[in-house]
Amino acid sequence: MGFKVAVVGATGNVGREMLNILEERGFPVSEVVALASRRSQGTEVSFGDKTLKVKALEGYDFSDTDIAVMSAGGNVSKEWSPKIGKQGCVVIDNSSAFRYDPEVPLIVPEVNPDAIEGFSKKNIIANPNCSTAQLVVALKPLHEAATIKRIVVATYQSVSGAGKEGMDELFTQTRAVFVADPVEAKKFTKRIAFNVIPHIDVFMEDGSTKEEWKMVAETKKMLDPKIKLTATCVRVPVFIGHSEAVNVEFEKPITADEARDILREAPGCLVIDKREDGGYITPIESAGEDATYISRIREDSTLDNALNMWIVSDNLRKGAALNAVQIAELLIERGLIQPKKKAA
C-alpha cells in the first residue's frame, strides 16, 4: 500500500532533508513528487537512488496526492495549504503559518500524538518551530513525572535555521576573516562568523523576538497551557544543530538521577551525561542524527524542585524534516488516511 507524496519546497535545505528521510525510513510511497517555485522548475533533486525533476507548485493538481509535506515558507503556505487541503490532500506544514490556529493540530509525535485526530477540519497539520520541537521531546516525560511549573531557556541556534542563505553567509564570512577580505552581513543583522547574535526573527512590542514568542506559544499548545516559559534565542556560528541551556522548575520533587532514568526510557531521547571531559553532546555530533540528546542534567541549588540540563538536536531533522515524516507515519499508523489510488 503506497501513498503519493508531494514535497513542496524540495530544493531547500529542509525539503532535501525530507526527501532523504522519506527514503531512509522506507516510507510507503507509490510516487514522490518534488515541487518548488517556477524559478526552480527543472532542477534535479535526489530521492534515494532516483533523481526527481522539480515541478512548479503553481497550477499543480493535488487531487490524486495523499500527503503534501511543505517547507516553502509562511507566505507560500498561507496561500497554498488551504487550497491543497481542499483537494483532499493532507498538508504537513513546516512554517509558522498555521501553528497557532486552534483548528490546526500542532504535533510532535512523541509529545501529543492524540491531537492529530483534529486534522480533518482543515486537512492541515503544523510542525513546530525547530527550537521548540527538541525542547518538548525532552520535557514531556519529565512533565508527566513531576509537573513543570516554569521553564527558562537560552538557545544556541545554528545558521541552518535561517536556510541555505544563512549557511552560505557563515561560510563566506569565515573565509573572508581568514583572507582579510571585507566581511559583509546580508542574511543576519550583524556578522555571524566568530560571533553570536541575540536576535532571531523580528522584534515584538515587549522586547522579545518572534522566535522567543514562538517557543512560549508552542510549548503551551503542545505540552500544557499552564506552563510559564521565558526564552532568549541566540544565533551562533554553527552550521547544523540547535543547543539549549534549560532550567526547569517542577511542582513535585525530582532528582537529577530520577530525571536521567526517565529520559533514558523516553521515546526520541538519548541521554549522554558523564561528568568527565567530553561526556556530553555538542551540535556537531547531533548532525545527521534523529535523537534529541540530553546532557549536563543537574539539580539547581538555588531553587526547590528544579533541574538544569543541556538539550541538543539536528534542527533540520527533528526540528523540521524528520518530525514532518513522523507525523505522516502517525496518520498511517492510526488509520486516519488511506491511499487515494488503490494498488492494481
PDB file of all heavy atoms in Angstrom, residues 1 12 26 40 53 61 64 71 124 130 142 155 157-158 193 200 257 275 288 305 311 335 339:
ATOM      1  N   MET A   1       0.853  -1.189   0.000  1.00  0.00           N
ATOM      2  CA  MET A   1       0.000   0.000   0.000  1.00  0.00           C
ATOM      3  C   MET A   1       0.888   1.237   0.000  1.00  0.00           C
ATOM      4  O   MET A   1       1.622   1.475   0.954  1.00  0.00           O
ATOM      5  CB  MET A   1      -0.884  -0.006   1.248  1.00  0.00           C
ATOM      6  CG  MET A   1      -1.907   1.101   1.270  1.00  0.00           C
ATOM      7  SD  MET A   1      -3.089   0.938   2.621  1.00  0.00           S
ATOM      8  CE  MET A   1      -2.068   1.316   4.031  1.00  0.00           C
ATOM      9  N   GLY A  12      15.051  23.382  -1.127  1.00  0.00           N
ATOM     10  CA  GLY A  12      15.638  23.996   0.075  1.00  0.00           C
ATOM     11  C   GLY A  12      16.301  22.960   0.971  1.00  0.00           C
ATOM     12  O   GLY A  12      16.191  21.752   0.749  1.00  0.00           O
ATOM     13  N   GLY A  26      12.052   4.245   4.748  1.00  0.00           N
ATOM     14  CA  GLY A  26      11.224   3.316   3.982  1.00  0.00           C
ATOM     15  C   GLY A  26       9.752   3.689   4.026  1.00  0.00           C
ATOM     16  O   GLY A  26       8.877   2.825   4.134  1.00  0.00           O
ATOM     17  N   SER A  40      12.566  27.348  -9.919  1.00  0.00           N
ATOM     18  CA  SER A  40      13.315  26.097  -9.657  1.00  0.00           C
ATOM     19  C   SER A  40      12.857  24.954 -10.542  1.00  0.00           C
ATOM     20  O   SER A  40      13.385  23.841 -10.445  1.00  0.00           O
ATOM     21  CB  SER A  40      13.145  25.685  -8.184  1.00  0.00           C
ATOM     22  OG  SER A  40      13.701  26.648  -7.343  1.00  0.00           O
ATOM     23  N   LYS A  53      12.881  15.430 -11.148  1.00  0.00           N
ATOM     24  CA  LYS A  53      12.880  16.768 -11.745  1.00  0.00           C
ATOM     25  C   LYS A  53      11.817  17.598 -11.031  1.00  0.00           C
ATOM     26  O   LYS A  53      10.668  17.176 -10.892  1.00  0.00           O
ATOM     27  CB  LYS A  53      12.565  16.684 -13.241  1.00  0.00           C
ATOM     28  CG  LYS A  53      13.788  16.536 -14.109  1.00  0.00           C
ATOM     29  CD  LYS A  53      13.542  17.123 -15.506  1.00  0.00           C
ATOM     30  CE  LYS A  53      14.834  17.414 -16.248  1.00  0.00           C
ATOM     31  NZ  LYS A  53      15.632  16.248 -16.537  1.00  0.00           N
ATOM     32  N   ASP A  61      -1.891  19.925  -9.719  1.00  0.00           N
ATOM     33  CA  ASP A  61      -3.159  19.305  -9.301  1.00  0.00           C
ATOM     34  C   ASP A  61      -2.879  18.286  -8.194  1.00  0.00           C
ATOM     35  O   ASP A  61      -2.199  17.287  -8.420  1.00  0.00           O
ATOM     36  CB  ASP A  61      -3.810  18.623 -10.520  1.00  0.00           C
ATOM     37  CG  ASP A  61      -5.142  17.969 -10.183  1.00  0.00           C
ATOM     38  OD1 ASP A  61      -5.600  18.076  -9.022  1.00  0.00           O
ATOM     39  OD2 ASP A  61      -5.716  17.331 -11.085  1.00  0.00           O
ATOM     40  N   ASP A  64      -4.980  13.817  -6.766  1.00  0.00           N
ATOM     41  CA  ASP A  64      -4.641  12.397  -6.600  1.00  0.00           C
ATOM     42  C   ASP A  64      -3.437  12.203  -5.664  1.00  0.00           C
ATOM     43  O   ASP A  64      -2.838  11.136  -5.606  1.00  0.00           O
ATOM     44  CB  ASP A  64      -4.360  11.736  -7.957  1.00  0.00           C
ATOM     45  CG  ASP A  64      -3.091  12.269  -8.620  1.00  0.00           C
ATOM     46  OD1 ASP A  64      -2.587  13.328  -8.185  1.00  0.00           O
ATOM     47  OD2 ASP A  64      -2.599  11.627  -9.563  1.00  0.00           O
ATOM     48  N   SER A  71       7.654  22.812   2.957  1.00  0.00           N
ATOM     49  CA  SER A  71       8.730  23.585   3.568  1.00  0.00           C
ATOM     50  C   SER A  71       9.120  24.697   2.602  1.00  0.00           C
ATOM     51  O   SER A  71      10.236  24.756   2.101  1.00  0.00           O
ATOM     52  CB  SER A  71       9.933  22.705   3.878  1.00  0.00           C
ATOM     53  OG  SER A  71      10.879  23.452   4.596  1.00  0.00           O
ATOM     54  N   ILE A 124      -4.912  20.205   7.482  1.00  0.00           N
ATOM     55  CA  ILE A 124      -3.572  20.767   7.683  1.00  0.00           C
ATOM     56  C   ILE A 124      -3.086  20.364   9.077  1.00  0.00           C
ATOM     57  O   ILE A 124      -3.844  20.420  10.043  1.00  0.00           O
ATOM     58  CB  ILE A 124      -3.574  22.314   7.570  1.00  0.00           C
ATOM     59  CG1 ILE A 124      -4.073  22.770   6.188  1.00  0.00           C
ATOM     60  CG2 ILE A 124      -2.174  22.880   7.839  1.00  0.00           C
ATOM     61  CD1 ILE A 124      -4.329  24.267   6.091  1.00  0.00           C
ATOM     62  N   CYS A 130      11.709  24.645  15.172  1.00  0.00           N
ATOM     63  CA  CYS A 130      12.770  23.671  15.439  1.00  0.00           C
ATOM     64  C   CYS A 130      13.251  23.722  16.884  1.00  0.00           C
ATOM     65  O   CYS A 130      13.499  22.680  17.506  1.00  0.00           O
ATOM     66  CB  CYS A 130      13.940  23.886  14.477  1.00  0.00           C
ATOM     67  SG  CYS A 130      14.418  25.603  14.271  1.00  0.00           S
ATOM     68  N   LEU A 142       9.335  14.356  31.636  1.00  0.00           N
ATOM     69  CA  LEU A 142       9.581  14.941  32.952  1.00  0.00           C
ATOM     70  C   LEU A 142       8.327  15.642  33.481  1.00  0.00           C
ATOM     71  O   LEU A 142       8.041  15.615  34.682  1.00  0.00           O
ATOM     72  CB  LEU A 142      10.753  15.925  32.883  1.00  0.00           C
ATOM     73  CG  LEU A 142      12.094  15.327  32.434  1.00  0.00           C
ATOM     74  CD1 LEU A 142      13.160  16.408  32.358  1.00  0.00           C
ATOM     75  CD2 LEU A 142      12.540  14.200  33.361  1.00  0.00           C
ATOM     76  N   THR A 155      18.732  29.586  23.972  1.00  0.00           N
ATOM     77  CA  THR A 155      19.054  28.735  22.822  1.00  0.00           C
ATOM     78  C   THR A 155      20.353  29.189  22.162  1.00  0.00           C
ATOM     79  O   THR A 155      20.731  30.359  22.235  1.00  0.00           O
ATOM     80  CB  THR A 155      17.936  28.750  21.760  1.00  0.00           C
ATOM     81  OG1 THR A 155      17.927  30.036  21.105  1.00  0.00           O
ATOM     82  CG2 THR A 155      16.568  28.475  22.365  1.00  0.00           C
ATOM     83  N   GLN A 157      21.352  28.643  18.470  1.00  0.00           N
ATOM     84  CA  GLN A 157      20.759  28.093  17.251  1.00  0.00           C
ATOM     85  C   GLN A 157      21.684  28.248  16.040  1.00  0.00           C
ATOM     86  O   GLN A 157      22.223  29.319  15.778  1.00  0.00           O
ATOM     87  CB  GLN A 157      19.404  28.757  16.990  1.00  0.00           C
ATOM     88  CG  GLN A 157      18.386  28.392  18.067  1.00  0.00           C
ATOM     89  CD  GLN A 157      17.027  29.029  17.872  1.00  0.00           C
ATOM     90  OE1 GLN A 157      16.454  29.562  18.812  1.00  0.00           O
ATOM     91  NE2 GLN A 157      16.475  28.967  16.673  1.00  0.00           N
ATOM     92  N   SER A 158      21.798  27.140  15.288  1.00  0.00           N
ATOM     93  CA  SER A 158      22.712  27.111  14.146  1.00  0.00           C
ATOM     94  C   SER A 158      22.173  27.941  12.988  1.00  0.00           C
ATOM     95  O   SER A 158      20.978  28.229  12.892  1.00  0.00           O
ATOM     96  CB  SER A 158      22.926  25.668  13.695  1.00  0.00           C
ATOM     97  OG  SER A 158      21.714  25.137  13.190  1.00  0.00           O
ATOM     98  N   ALA A 193      30.148  35.172  11.708  1.00  0.00           N
ATOM     99  CA  ALA A 193      31.421  34.448  11.855  1.00  0.00           C
ATOM    100  C   ALA A 193      32.137  34.899  13.124  1.00  0.00           C
ATOM    101  O   ALA A 193      32.318  36.097  13.345  1.00  0.00           O
ATOM    102  CB  ALA A 193      32.305  34.694  10.640  1.00  0.00           C
ATOM    103  N   ILE A 200      16.729  36.485  16.772  1.00  0.00           N
ATOM    104  CA  ILE A 200      16.220  35.583  15.738  1.00  0.00           C
ATOM    105  C   ILE A 200      14.772  35.959  15.460  1.00  0.00           C
ATOM    106  O   ILE A 200      13.951  36.007  16.376  1.00  0.00           O
ATOM    107  CB  ILE A 200      16.323  34.105  16.166  1.00  0.00           C
ATOM    108  CG1 ILE A 200      17.792  33.722  16.444  1.00  0.00           C
ATOM    109  CG2 ILE A 200      15.744  33.183  15.092  1.00  0.00           C
ATOM    110  CD1 ILE A 200      18.003  32.307  16.952  1.00  0.00           C
ATOM    111  N   ASP A 257      19.142  12.164  39.133  1.00  0.00           N
ATOM    112  CA  ASP A 257      19.198  10.731  38.824  1.00  0.00           C
ATOM    113  C   ASP A 257      17.854  10.221  38.319  1.00  0.00           C
ATOM    114  O   ASP A 257      17.795   9.431  37.364  1.00  0.00           O
ATOM    115  CB  ASP A 257      19.617   9.931  40.061  1.00  0.00           C
ATOM    116  CG  ASP A 257      21.119  10.019  40.329  1.00  0.00           C
ATOM    117  OD1 ASP A 257      21.863  10.371  39.381  1.00  0.00           O
ATOM    118  OD2 ASP A 257      21.540   9.764  41.467  1.00  0.00           O
ATOM    119  N   ARG A 275      30.043  12.868  33.837  1.00  0.00           N
ATOM    120  CA  ARG A 275      30.700  14.045  34.413  1.00  0.00           C
ATOM    121  C   ARG A 275      32.212  13.933  34.234  1.00  0.00           C
ATOM    122  O   ARG A 275      32.966  13.729  35.177  1.00  0.00           O
ATOM    123  CB  ARG A 275      30.280  14.192  35.876  1.00  0.00           C
ATOM    124  CG  ARG A 275      28.800  14.524  35.952  1.00  0.00           C
ATOM    125  CD  ARG A 275      28.244  14.586  37.329  1.00  0.00           C
ATOM    126  NE  ARG A 275      26.811  14.928  37.254  1.00  0.00           N
ATOM    127  CZ  ARG A 275      26.023  15.037  38.307  1.00  0.00           C
ATOM    128  NH1 ARG A 275      26.493  14.824  39.518  1.00  0.00           N
ATOM    129  NH2 ARG A 275      24.753  15.352  38.153  1.00  0.00           N
ATOM    130  N   GLY A 288      22.862  14.978  11.493  1.00  0.00           N
ATOM    131  CA  GLY A 288      22.571  13.738  10.786  1.00  0.00           C
ATOM    132  C   GLY A 288      21.919  12.680  11.653  1.00  0.00           C
ATOM    133  O   GLY A 288      21.641  11.582  11.176  1.00  0.00           O
ATOM    134  N   ASN A 305      13.028  21.840  43.792  1.00  0.00           N
ATOM    135  CA  ASN A 305      12.394  21.076  42.705  1.00  0.00           C
ATOM    136  C   ASN A 305      12.758  21.628  41.313  1.00  0.00           C
ATOM    137  O   ASN A 305      11.887  21.809  40.464  1.00  0.00           O
ATOM    138  CB  ASN A 305      10.864  21.056  42.847  1.00  0.00           C
ATOM    139  CG  ASN A 305      10.411  20.564  44.200  1.00  0.00           C
ATOM    140  OD1 ASN A 305      11.142  19.845  44.879  1.00  0.00           O
ATOM    141  ND2 ASN A 305       9.217  20.943  44.610  1.00  0.00           N
ATOM    142  N   ILE A 311      20.210  20.492  26.043  1.00  0.00           N
ATOM    143  CA  ILE A 311      19.451  19.723  25.050  1.00  0.00           C
ATOM    144  C   ILE A 311      19.953  20.095  23.656  1.00  0.00           C
ATOM    145  O   ILE A 311      20.024  21.284  23.317  1.00  0.00           O
ATOM    146  CB  ILE A 311      17.938  20.025  25.171  1.00  0.00           C
ATOM    147  CG1 ILE A 311      17.437  19.673  26.574  1.00  0.00           C
ATOM    148  CG2 ILE A 311      17.141  19.262  24.110  1.00  0.00           C
ATOM    149  CD1 ILE A 311      16.023  20.154  26.868  1.00  0.00           C
ATOM    150  N   GLY A 335      -4.576   4.837  11.017  1.00  0.00           N
ATOM    151  CA  GLY A 335      -5.625   4.593  10.029  1.00  0.00           C
ATOM    152  C   GLY A 335      -6.434   5.826   9.684  1.00  0.00           C
ATOM    153  O   GLY A 335      -7.598   5.731   9.283  1.00  0.00           O
ATOM    154  N   PRO A 339      -4.657   5.519   0.912  1.00  0.00           N
ATOM    155  CA  PRO A 339      -4.230   5.972  -0.418  1.00  0.00           C
ATOM    156  C   PRO A 339      -5.437   6.210  -1.324  1.00  0.00           C
ATOM    157  O   PRO A 339      -6.374   5.412  -1.319  1.00  0.00           O
ATOM    158  CB  PRO A 339      -3.366   4.827  -0.947  1.00  0.00           C
ATOM    159  CG  PRO A 339      -3.075   3.952   0.220  1.00  0.00           C
ATOM    160  CD  PRO A 339      -4.172   4.154   1.201  1.00  0.00           C
TER     161      PRO A 339
END
